[in-house]
Amino acid sequence: MEMNKDIECVLVSEEELDAITTRLAAEIDRDYCNTGRPLVLVGILKGAVMFYTDLIRKIKRPVEMEFMKVSSYGASTVSSGCINLHLDIKRNDLPSLDILIVEDIIDSGRTLSMLSALLRDRGAFSVRTCTLLDKPARREVKFDPDYVGKQIPDRFVVGYGLDYNEYYRDLPFVGVLKREIYSH
Ligand code: PRP
């Protein structure tokens, strides 16, 4: 396949993405069998969309779909734990639900740490997190996701949902963006 001219190298190939989603789906099926509770996968827009739709098709047990969209405030207020909720889940049955938050990437850890806390505060029976990519080198708050597709180095990655200025989300693989594209 011809690689996009703006991509320096492929970090996670289509084949590896397929293997990752297969493995994670099996782990999720194993961990949530016989719970007697609905399992709700909460996808975080927009980056998680590709990963979410591939993962959910491989999970064999019944799941429900929900989505949230968030953004951080500026750097100064982020440290005080503020995120903007652009799209929220509207459910009044959280105490009877197992929630699994699905993300494309963990960077500072703020988004997932705050969303997990929010859904726990609202009374969800359980809240776990699943991320395709984890950049531990960038962590600013301590946060350990429950399911991780792949740990990656601190490179600027795009594709398979991840963007730079809203582009590249449609690439079928995760690649490293050439520095010249974003450093000018
Ligand atoms: C990205 C990513 C995570 C978050 C991770 O979203 O999808 O939600 O940043 O960063 P953190 O660990 O430092 O909180 P982004 O704000 O780029 O929005 P998008 O998913 O719509 O691209």
Side-chain angles (χ1 to χ4, degrees):
M1 187 187 65
E2 189 190 336
M3 202 167 69
N4 185 293
K5 63 177 173 30
D6 299 342
I7 301 300
E8 183 182 307
C9 63
V10 174
L11 202 61
V12 194
S13 67
E14 289 184 70
E15 292 74 20
E16 189 174 2
L17 288 165
D18 186 55
I20 287 171
T21 49
T22 299
R23 171 176 62 80
L24 291 176
E27 289 178 20
I28 292 164
D29 270 322
R30 180 199 64 203
D31 294 349
Y32 289 93
C33 70
N34 301 322
T35 58
R37 286 179 300 277
L39 173 61
V40 180
L41 264 64
V42 178
I44 308 306
L45 300 174
K46 303 173 199 170
V49 164
M50 309 292 185
F51 175 50
Y52 184 97
T53 56
D54 281 345
L55 182 68
I56 206 162
R57 277 178 282 188
K58 291 181 177 177
I59 295 174
K60 294 191 174 67
R61 63 150 287 159
V63 294
E64 296 182 30
M65 298 171 71
E66 295 284 356
F67 295 94
M68 295 176 85
K69 183 162 170 42
V70 301
S71 67
S72 300
Y73 288 102
S76 56
T77 47
V78 168
S79 57
S80 64
C82 298
I83 50 172
N84 251 325
L85 276 175
H86 300 288
L87 175 69
D88 201 354
I89 53 174
K90 300 198 174 20
R91 302 191 62 133
N92 51 18
D93 55 349
L94 282 173
S96 66
L97 303 178
D98 288 318
I99 301 278
L100 181 59
I101 306 175
V102 178
E103 262 288 24
D104 52 334
I105 190 165
I106 304 187
D107 205 330
S108 71
R110 293 185 192 286
T111 304
L112 270 185
S113 122
M114 285 189 267
L115 279 178
S116 307
L118 177 71
L119 294 172
R120 279 197 191 99
D121 285 351
R122 290 179 180 176
F125 186 90
S126 75
V127 179
R128 285 188 185 146
T129 55
C130 175
T131 187
L132 171 65
L133 304 173
D134 186 7
K135 268 187 189 174
R138 299 264 301 181
R139 205 68 100 248
E140 291 172 23
V141 296
K142 182 171 162 40
F143 188 84
D144 294 319
D146 298 286
Y147 303 92
V148 177
K150 186 173 186 171
Q151 286 199 351
I152 59 168
D154 187 13
R155 309 290 302 277
F156 197 133
V157 289
V158 295
Y160 197 64
L162 292 109
D163 75 308
Y164 170 61
N165 282 347
E166 296 302 326
Y167 287 100
Y168 310 106
R169 292 192 198 273
D170 52 335
L171 295 177
F173 55 83
V174 177
V176 176
L177 192 62
K178 285 181 181 166
R179 187 175 292 274
E180 69 215 49
I181 305 296
Y182 59 88
S183 61
H184 50 70

